[in-house]
Amino acid sequence: MGHANGMGQTTQTATVNGHRITLTNLDKVLYPLTGTTKADVLGYYAAVADTLIAHAANRPATRKRWVHGVGTVEHPGQAFFQKNLDSSTPSWVPRVAIQHKDHANEYPLVNDVATLTWLGQIAALEIHVPQWRVLGDEPQNPDRLVLDLDPGEGATLTECVEVARLARILLVDMGLDPVPVTSGSKGIHLYAGLDSSLSSQSVSNVAHELARALEADHPDLVVSEMAKHLRTGKVFVDWSQNSAAKTTVTPYSLRGRFRPTVAAPRTWAELEMPDLAQIEYSEVVALLEQRGDPLAALREAGATHDRLGEYRHLRDPAKTPEPVPSGPPSTSGGSRFVIHRHAARRLHFDLRLERNGVLVSWALPKGIPEDGSKNHLAVHVEDHPLEYGDFEGIIPPGEYGAGEVTIWDQGTYDTEKWREKEVIVTLQGQPGAGLGGAAKIGLIHTGGNGRAEQNWLVHRMHDSREPRRPEKPGSMPELSRRSTPAGKTLSPMLATLGTAADLGGDDNWAFEMKWDGVRIMAHVKAGGSVRLLSRNGNDVTATYPEVVDGLREAVSSEAAILDGEVVALDRKGRPDFSRLQKRMKLSRKADVEAAEQSIPVNYLVFDLLECDAESLLKLPYTHRRDRLRECVRSAGTIQVPPTVDGTLDVAMRTSRDLGLEGVMAKKQSSTYAAGRRSRAWIKLKHHLSQEVVVGGWRPGRGNRVNSVGSLLLGIPDGSRLRYIGRVGTGFSDKQLDDMQIRLSALSRKTTPFADVPAADAADAHWVTPRLVGEVEFAEWTHAGRLRHASWRGWRPDKAADEVVDER
């Protein structure tokens, strides 16, 4: 049904997918140069809906809108990008909330014709999406690689075609046959389908190297750097479109140019046409009807890949106790490893490394070599689900891999290199377990064919962090039940640094003291088994025996998973992080027993995640606190600190009076978001502090001439390390000695920083950016540097990629 309003503009009500949409101003001209109206735009989107949606579905959509049209050259129209959905968005529009560094946005998902029609109605002429999709509300790995070939001043579409041909040669050599898309603007996009096995960062790195290779081979035609002054007469190969934070205009989207051009997929034959040009929407509809969608094969390849397909095919969940998840791989970004001892038909070991949501696995018939004098065979096998990292049990006779599986060692690993045919990692094993500590290994593909294609070699490499030469695999004692994973592990929920303004005047907040310690997840099982895990998943049970003993007495339920903080108190009964530093790295029993007497610790429990096999993650904070008080009693080393009655001002004043770090504000209605940073928990501090990654050091002067004078600090920012300044105070002599040893082991020749000033780099010694510390400081400068920083200590419970700018 349609009608004309008082201004002569047409309005129509349409029913699309069962949803009623009011379409207004249908005769409004959005492209004055061609007279193209909103009705024409809606007609085009209806004609290409199925194909466009196939490329945009389940990708958070950013919209570029021209509410009053694109205008003319003399009077261009005003456009604006829109990420968040506003209050006028129909409730039926599918959507997803994506957490960014310091905020969350709610994006629409262009999953149906009704949503695409609504976008046309609000003059969202351009639809931009990332190279990854969401599954539920979780971002997945990218399923496509995109290169944006952008001509600089003096270059044309002809040069873009030439670069497209050259890029295709390199991509085909990599097993990727790209499809060209004339962008509807000036250049060409190249799309290549991926199997979703690589992270956005990895794909972006590959694309960057590809752009550099093109530039190196064709310096007069290609530029890979973003600086505009370098692009004159050349084609800029924009590799950054593969970053997780970047978007590209979706194929078949209109463009907001003065003519109604489209980001149009093309065939390679069409690219050879002498009159090749950007094409308009009517031509796109005709081409689509004539020869279909050139991108069809790409979208199908990404949709059908299942990294756990082979694993599931080999196992019957009704017959084996092994975990056989029915869903897709996890989106975890962890770095856990596990080595299983597998007493199958032949005794062997299985090495599994967590990567991109699965455990990449090798069977080691002879285990890991004792030293670098010989290599052992490593057979690459199917990827395993992350749940397998906790598996122990007996696989029944007749089933694939029949025999007993036990955990021989486990922990986390650091990656030095991960390429298609070469992997170098340092395994951080458990004290007293199979590896006996740290072990640096290399895995090298042998290059065989057929069945031999699975064959790799595992090589033991020298690493200064290895405490001793390990004994032959198989001869080390098995892990005790205390340090063996039994059941699931959970990563802690993380808070966001904020101010009183972040609470919004809402009274739906509970307030706890912020403790100056280290985050510990405690797993208590029937029979007195207790396991303590640090924030990054390291088993620290042996480090805090008084906490283990205390939990056995304080926990009344058969089994529980607790979240809390281990603290060391000073003489005034206040948490002292510098004292705790002396306990955090100890693992030898004699060292721990001695420190237990001089630096006792307490475990302050503030959340309960599981009780008697019942998950409490979905319960509101207030309900979990009630259950916590029922499950755990305060006694000895175990305490359940109370929440603070009153307002935020009362809580902050109480914290200051007690000499504490600040306050944790937690929404009373919030559920527990394991492993995620949330604005439902806000940390408010009395002083400024920042976790930092150490990327180098400068020698001291005077009595510190032969040791560390200052540390050069950074924060990860995408693929680079952003320099934020130096710290040269707050160190004890013992800490300086310890630093010299740690930093020497990580020495490298080149700077890891993207932007360190020449004055700070003049006499610097660079290190691999792996170590995390924490500093206090007065303020941030306008240049993004720390002013008057003072060292607080190392944070071995944090990984470098977990560090964020806390502003």
Side-chain angles (χ1 to χ4, degrees), residues 521-670:
M521 306 291 279
H523 294 247
V524 182
K525 297 295 183 182
S529 170
V530 176
R531 183 164 166 251
L532 306 179
L533 296 179
S534 69
R535 170 177 155 172
N536 52 10
N538 289 333
D539 192 314
V540 293
T541 309
T543 304
Y544 307 112
E546 65 265 59
V547 173
V548 173
D549 294 338
L551 285 170
R552 289 175 179 146
E553 296 296 325
V555 177
S556 60
S557 62
E558 283 293 308
I561 298 179
L562 310 173
D563 187 1
E565 196 111 346
V566 165
V567 299
L569 305 179
D570 63 15
R571 293 180 180 179
K572 296 182 180 180
R574 297 175 303 191
D576 185 335
F577 188 72
S578 62
R579 279 174 59 81
L580 184 61
Q581 288 267 307
K582 300 170 184 176
R583 285 288 304 265
M584 288 167 63
K585 297 296 287 184
L586 302 181
S587 58
R588 290 179 61 246
K589 187 176 181 180
D591 295 338
V592 171
E593 288 178 349
E596 189 178 356
Q597 300 302 313
S598 59
I599 311 172
V601 298
N602 287 51
Y603 185 44
L604 308 182
V605 189
F606 48 70
D607 218 321
L608 178 65
L609 314 186
E610 187 174 299
C611 183
D612 291 333
E614 176 191 358
S615 174
L616 309 183
L617 299 180
K618 299 301 182 183
L619 291 182
Y621 165 84
T622 51
H623 291 200
R624 298 198 310 276
R625 286 286 303 192
D626 290 341
R627 295 288 296 274
L628 174 61
R629 284 188 285 268
E630 295 172 2
C631 175
V632 181
R633 66 184 181 89
S634 294
T637 59
I638 311 301
Q639 300 292 321
V640 181
T643 55
V644 178
D645 293 329
T647 65
L648 173 61
D649 287 341
V650 171
M652 292 295 283
R653 187 164 58 250
T654 302
S655 171
R656 191 176 291 109
D657 291 345
L658 293 173
L660 300 179
E661 192 181 5
V663 165
M664 294 291 300
K666 300 182 178 181
K667 273 195 174 179
Q668 297 183 35
S669 58
S670 63

Side-chain angles (χ1 to χ4, degrees), residues 39-69:
D40 295 326
V41 168
L42 288 165
Y44 167 70
Y45 276 146
V48 301
D50 289 345
T51 311
L52 186 154
I53 290 168
H55 297 295
N58 293 319
R59 301 182 195 271
T62 298
R63 294 81 67 207
K64 193 173 183 182
R65 298 174 58 189
W66 281 263
V67 176
H68 301 296

Side-chain angles (χ1 to χ4, degrees), residues 286-536:
L287 278 173
L288 195 55
E289 291 175 349
Q290 291 169 14
R291 48 94 166 121
D293 176 20
L295 280 172
L298 175 142
R299 73 171 189 254
E300 291 164 5
T304 57
H305 179 76
D306 178 5
R307 292 195 68 188
L308 295 178
E310 183 179 359
Y311 175 89
R312 278 188 278 263
H313 175 71
L314 293 169
R315 292 162 177 85
D316 183 347
K319 296 180 180 179
T320 179
E322 298 166 282
V324 186
S326 57
S330 163
T331 57
S332 166
S335 57
R336 181 183 177 188
F337 86 87
V338 62
I339 300 177
H340 281 114
R341 181 181 185 276
H342 193 169
R345 184 177 57 179
R346 292 182 180 176
L347 175 65
H348 66 277
F349 295 82
D350 293 305
L351 169 65
R352 312 193 194 283
L353 304 177
E354 178 179 353
R355 190 168 178 85
N356 298 322
V358 297
L359 294 174
V360 182
S361 300
W362 289 264
L364 311 177
K366 295 184 178 180
I368 292 174
E370 300 176 47
D371 52 41
S373 63
K374 62 176 68 174
N375 299 325
H376 286 173
L377 175 66
V379 181
H380 188 243
V381 297
E382 73 279 5
D383 293 334
H384 283 49
L386 294 187
E387 294 88 341
Y388 213 97
D390 294 331
F391 174 68
E392 288 188 303
I394 298 176
I395 304 172
E399 296 305 302
Y400 177 75
E404 183 179 10
V405 177
T406 55
I407 293 176
W408 187 73
D409 206 340
Q410 57 157 345
T412 59
Y413 71 92
D414 299 318
T415 304
E416 180 174 316
K417 185 181 295 185
W418 193 299
R419 296 179 178 172
E420 185 179 359
K421 296 185 178 181
E422 183 182 15
V423 174
I424 299 176
V425 295
T426 299
L427 309 176
Q428 303 288 351
Q430 300 300 318
L435 292 171
K440 185 175 181 180
I441 62 169
L443 291 152
I444 303 98
H445 188 245
T446 60
N449 296 311
R451 291 189 65 182
E453 189 176 1
Q454 297 175 282
N455 291 348
W456 294 53
L457 295 176
V458 57
H459 173 72
R460 187 73 171 246
M461 307 175 76
H462 173 70
D463 187 88
S464 60
R465 289 171 293 174
E466 295 188 36
R468 59 174 175 77
R469 176 174 169 173
E471 298 178 33
K472 184 175 180 179
S475 63
M476 293 295 295
E478 299 293 331
L479 287 178
S480 68
R481 294 304 304 174
R482 175 179 293 184
S483 55
T484 297
K488 73 186 114 177
T489 59
L490 293 171
S491 297
M493 178 173 173
L494 304 178
T496 302
L497 184 66
T499 65
D502 292 294
L503 308 190
D506 189 351
D507 60 2
N508 182 33
W509 293 90
F511 302 111
E512 302 174 0
M513 295 295 100
K514 188 176 189 311
W515 308 109
D516 200 6
V518 291
R519 194 78 170 272
I520 296 292
M521 306 291 279
H523 294 247
V524 182
K525 297 295 183 182
S529 170
V530 176
R531 183 164 166 251
L532 306 179
L533 296 179
S534 69
R535 170 177 155 172
N536 52 10

